[in-house]
Amino acid sequence: MRRDRLVTWLLRIYLALIFLFVFVPIATSMVFSFNSDRFPSLPLGGFTWHWYDMVYKDPDTWEAIRTSLLVALTSSVLATFIGFCTAYTDFRYRFRFKGAYLALALLPPTIPLIILALAMLAWFSKIGISGRVGSIIVAHTVLCAPFAMAVIRLRLQQMDRDLESAAWNLGANELAAMRHVVIPFTLPSIISALCLTMAVSFDEFMIAWFVSGLNKTVPVMILEILQGNVDPRINAIGSFVFAVTVTLVVVAQLLFSAKTTTTRS
Amino acid sequence: MGAAQFVLENVAKRFGNQVAVNPMNLEIRSGEFLAIMGPSGCGKTTTLRMLAGLEAPSEGEIRLNGVRINEFKPHERETPMVWQSLALFPFLNVRENVEFGLKMRGVPKAERAERAHRWLQRLEIDQFAERDIGNLSGGQRQRVALARALVTEPPVLLLDEPLSALDANLVVRMQTVLIRLQKELGITFVYVTHSQSEAFAMADRIVIMNEGSVEQVGTPREIYRAPTNRFVAEFVGTNNIIEGTVSSRKAGMLECDTALGCIRTLCGENNPIHPGNRVDLVIGADLIEVSAEPIWSDNCFPAAFIGEEFVGSVATLHFETESGDEIRVQKQQRETESLELAHGKPLYLHWDADTVYCLASRTSDERGE
């Protein structure tokens, strides 16, 4: 009894420490984004919206946010589409070398980002499409598709195989069964895959930095500001990026867990 | 019973080099209630899935009303199925589930709703029309699955162990629902099950399958009282099977040497069994009488009572004969009270010669093993 309580408490402390390590730096950055002092030091100066205002008025920021959103939206849609197709072939068919097929489909995130980024840059300049917004989209799609596949595949694994057959049996051809059964069933995971891949793309720095050329995304812009000097604008942008990604991930998580618990038949 | 609706001619199914169904021939008549019964893995579900087009036969031909349908896709057939898992669409409510088949056929919305409603009413679940599937009981879901399959008014309904997930008392209620529906609609029901009680309670004809082959096709009575081989005799009911050798045949009476002693049975004139043949004697557990004293009868043997089981009011009594064989006897529970059963109590079992069904033993070559 007493030992159990001790273990419980130790685990609680451990958990608290983990959260502390993860969130204190982010919280610090957020706090300093409202601090009027130029240099991050204690005690804090007065409260200010000044840094947000500067960021807001800087056309470069808006340009970067526009590029980031365009890239995130497009590549998340493409990655989710590819991820869905891969997950569905895995669900539906059995074929030789399926193991290899799946391993290949899941490979990109396991490659060190810098290697992937360099390879992308080399390849894009070889075929002459480097330095465009399109090249970031292609590269992010490659990076994100495995995440989308993993999420959608989990949902498909919960699907009774008879559901699709039942649709055919009731007069649906393959396309109609896909539209009226498979997609509705996987819809929560499709939406959460969209959010998740959007978050990954929105956050991603390394590849974007290598292949973007003059089309800076938000993380690339942050680095460039940082290289110049210490600037509290970073804290403001950082807080904004954090809020966007956390929202996307939380939405993804809510959709996924809510739907999976309530729709079991 | 009408004319042949489905004809299966030498239909076989293999998955890779694994045989699911050996070449089989079967005629399914229009308007009959046909049960396909057998232990798990006997090929009964595969056979049903071939009728629905969900599996393509590896060999042979399936004809529907005389037309070869091997190449027809599932959605090109009118063979709706009630699934063991029910396979209701969890993201649609009850009404939308029932409307699904109509929607796929392009029936306009208003007509869809009206026809679905009619079926929900008929199956007494119209008050749940707008509910989610997850908020229904097992029996209600069963009815939704039936309504969904029948809403397109098909000429045949395929059922794959639809009652296996229900409680015993619900099973009996659903059986009456199914029998009534089948009689009222007059369409063919093909019902796959491993449960004898379901098959015997509902079917006009029963197909017994084992290891991918059809063992016997017949009415429930034929299957029960006149099994054509030992597998069927063992599979159905609580038959006692005693092996023996025919020792004499005169005037329609056979005498067989068995471990128990000499068992007498009747034998039709055309029966090709002769002295020296090995036979399996099938004695229905419900046809054996028990008495405290020896009785003059065609067959009477002493046996010790060793145990009993109850299912409702029916008791299955287990006896051990002097040869060490076990014999099962089924009695109404109230009939057993006068016997004052106690473990090891010596009693006498007797049965008439005309209750014994005599089967020629199949040798292993005949089985094709």
Side-chain angles (χ1 to χ4, degrees):
Chain A
M1 232 357 234
R2 285 185 63 190
R3 235 185 101 228
D4 283 356
R5 283 182 67 175
L6 185 71
V7 171
T8 312
W9 274 105
L10 283 176
L11 286 174
R12 278 181 188 161
I13 293 167
Y14 177 70
L15 194 67
L17 281 175
I18 287 180
F19 279 122
L20 211 64
F21 271 107
V22 173
F23 288 109
V24 162
I26 298 168
T28 316
S29 160
M30 280 183 174
V31 168
F32 283 115
S33 73
F34 294 108
N35 184 16
S36 58
D37 293 344
R38 183 168 177 80
F39 294 96
S41 61
L42 290 170
L44 293 169
F47 177 87
T48 179
W49 283 104
H50 177 66
W51 310 117
Y52 285 92
D53 193 47
M54 267 182 81
V55 171
Y56 183 77
K57 286 194 177 126
D58 180 2
D60 282 359
T61 323
W62 287 106
E63 186 60 40
I65 289 177
R66 257 200 300 281
T67 310
S68 265
L69 282 180
L70 178 67
V71 169
L73 282 171
T74 322
S75 57
S76 69
V77 169
L78 290 174
T80 302
F81 176 74
I82 295 172
F84 178 84
C85 295
T86 329
Y88 183 73
T89 48
D90 169 50
F91 168 76
R92 173 80 190 276
Y93 301 101
R94 284 213 230 149
F95 47 90
R96 267 178 90 192
F97 307 122
K98 186 167 161 182
Y101 169 78
L102 286 180
L104 210 62
L106 287 167
L107 191 65
T110 65
I111 301 170
L113 275 180
I114 183 134
I115 308 284
L116 198 61
L118 274 171
M120 288 278 180
L121 177 63
W123 173 245
F124 286 156
S125 48
K126 190 136 204 154
I127 60 175
I129 59 160
S130 70
R132 304 185 194 173
V133 175
S135 31
I136 319 177
I137 292 174
V138 172
H140 277 186
T141 304
V142 171
L143 181 71
C144 291
F147 294 107
M149 175 199 160
V151 172
I152 295 169
R153 191 159 163 249
L154 270 180
R155 179 67 178 156
L156 276 174
Q157 278 168 356
Q158 297 173 338
M159 184 161 119
D160 178 356
R161 276 172 184 281
D162 291 341
L163 281 191
E164 205 182 7
S165 311
W168 301 334
N169 181 250
L170 292 165
N173 60 29
E174 299 236 344
L175 215 65
M178 170 65 76
R179 195 176 133 216
H180 293 288
V181 173
V182 182
I183 290 183
F185 188 90
T186 45
L187 194 62
S189 69
I190 290 174
I191 296 174
S192 64
L194 277 173
C195 295
L196 192 70
T197 50
M198 219 183 288
V200 170
S201 162
F202 197 78
D203 269 359
E204 199 285 325
F205 162 72
M206 188 77 77
I207 295 177
W209 190 67
F210 270 84
V211 302
S212 62
L214 295 172
N215 307 290
K216 283 178 261 177
T217 62
V218 174
V220 174
M221 185 192 67
I222 294 177
L223 185 85
E224 295 194 346
I225 298 172
L226 205 63
Q227 278 172 331
N229 49 38
V230 179
D231 189 332
R233 275 191 303 162
I234 298 293
N235 292 328
I237 300 172
S239 302
F240 168 73
V241 172
F242 177 74
V244 170
T245 30
V246 163
T247 310
L248 286 172
V249 172
V250 167
V251 167
Q253 195 60 42
L254 282 180
L255 274 171
F256 199 67
S257 53
K259 279 292 181 180
T260 43
T261 48
T262 57
T263 59
R264 298 293 295 157
S265 63
Chain B
M1 289 322 98
Q5 187 176 28
F6 282 100
V7 175
L8 283 76
E9 200 176 281
N10 294 319
V11 169
K13 178 67 189 175
R14 288 179 298 272
F15 295 103
N17 43 22
Q18 205 180 348
V19 176
V21 177
N22 288 312
M24 69 182 273
N25 291 293
L26 181 65
E27 231 181 71
I28 301 174
R29 298 168 194 159
S30 178
E32 76 173 329
F33 198 134
L34 181 84
I36 304 179
M37 183 165 78
S40 56
C42 70
K44 56 189 192 297
T45 297
T46 308
T47 307
L48 194 75
R49 289 174 68 88
M50 287 196 283
L51 292 179
L54 297 164
E55 307 289 355
S58 312
E59 268 174 41
E61 188 169 273
I62 301 180
R63 286 192 296 272
L64 173 58
N65 302 324
V67 180
R68 177 186 164 101
I69 57 166
N70 286 35
E71 286 74 28
F72 283 39
K73 292 262 165 54
H75 68 268
E76 296 164 336
R77 308 180 184 208
E78 290 280 324
T79 50
M81 187 153 148
V82 176
W83 306 72
Q84 184 169 17
S85 65
L86 298 186
L88 296 172
F89 303 123
F91 43 85
L92 300 179
N93 67 24
V94 170
R95 180 181 50 76
E96 291 164 333
N97 262 282
V98 176
E99 283 181 15
F100 192 89
L102 298 172
K103 193 172 173 185
M104 293 305 117
R105 283 167 180 76
V107 176
K109 201 167 174 190
E111 190 190 336
R112 256 175 14 218
E114 197 254 305
R115 284 170 72 175
H117 184 70
R118 243 186 4 238
W119 274 98
L120 290 174
Q121 257 179 340
R122 184 164 192 166
L123 289 162
E124 295 162 5
I125 43 171
D126 48 320
Q127 68 269 41
F128 307 120
E130 301 301 320
R131 275 222 199 152
D132 273 348
I133 296 302
N135 298 331
L136 296 181
S137 72
Q140 290 160 352
R141 268 184 237 180
Q142 197 72 57
R143 287 162 190 261
V144 177
L146 271 171
R148 184 180 72 171
L150 289 169
V151 74
T152 54
E153 276 141 39
V156 58
L157 181 67
L158 309 178
L159 302 107
D160 184 13
E161 309 219 14
L163 306 184
S164 59
L166 298 182
D167 310 338
N169 58 340
L170 258 179
V171 168
V172 176
R173 268 182 46 201
M174 285 309 295
Q175 281 178 3
T176 38
V177 171
L178 286 174
I179 295 171
R180 217 184 59 213
L181 266 178
Q182 198 262 341
K183 294 281 173 283
E184 286 172 7
L185 298 169
I187 66 172
T188 316
F189 274 31
V190 182
Y191 190 99
V192 160
T193 182
H194 64 265
S195 152
Q196 287 183 51
S197 64
E198 288 175 21
F200 281 89
M202 296 187 283
D204 299 318
R205 287 199 306 154
I206 296 177
V207 178
I208 306 275
M209 289 186 73
N210 181 39
E211 292 179 351
S213 300
V214 172
E215 295 282 350
Q216 188 172 358
V217 182
T219 63
R221 194 176 168 76
E222 283 165 359
I223 301 277
Y224 199 59
R225 291 296 180 215
T228 53
N229 59 60
R230 183 164 180 155
F231 173 81
V232 177
E234 278 177 347
F235 186 68
V236 298
T238 38
N239 287 317
N240 294 289
I241 298 172
I242 300 167
E243 291 175 19
T245 311
V246 179
S247 58
S248 79
R249 171 177 180 157
K250 45 194 165 201
M253 177 76 82
L254 283 181
E255 292 191 343
C256 307
D257 284 330
T258 69
L260 247 63
C262 174
I263 293 183
R264 293 182 186 84
T265 167
L266 300 184
C267 159
E269 275 180 30
N270 300 326
N271 199 326
I273 294 174
H274 292 291
N277 287 158
R278 302 217 21 97
V279 289
D280 291 322
L281 301 171
V282 181
I283 306 152
D286 52 337
L287 302 175
I288 298 176
E289 301 294 338
V290 185
S291 63
E293 299 298 325
I295 279 185
W296 195 90
S297 163
D298 297 328
N299 301 288
C300 183
F301 301 95
F305 174 73
I306 53 171
E308 61 188 325
E309 315 158 39
F310 295 102
V311 177
S313 61
V314 178
T316 303
L317 313 177
H318 295 257
F319 290 91
E320 194 176 80
T321 62
E322 286 171 345
S323 59
D325 290 306
E326 193 178 320
I327 290 190
R328 288 173 298 177
V329 178
Q330 270 183 347
K331 285 277 160 253
Q332 285 296 311
Q333 209 249 314
R334 60 185 163 75
E335 291 177 57
T336 66
E337 281 163 14
S338 61
L339 294 168
E340 290 165 4
L341 294 167
H343 187 85
K345 180 171 178 175
L347 290 160
Y348 291 87
L349 306 178
H350 56 95
W351 57 87
D352 295 339
D354 61 357
T355 62
V356 181
Y357 188 78
C358 182
L359 271 176
S361 307
R362 260 203 304 198
T363 60
S364 50
D365 326 335
E366 281 171 306
R367 268 202 129 132
E369 278 163 10

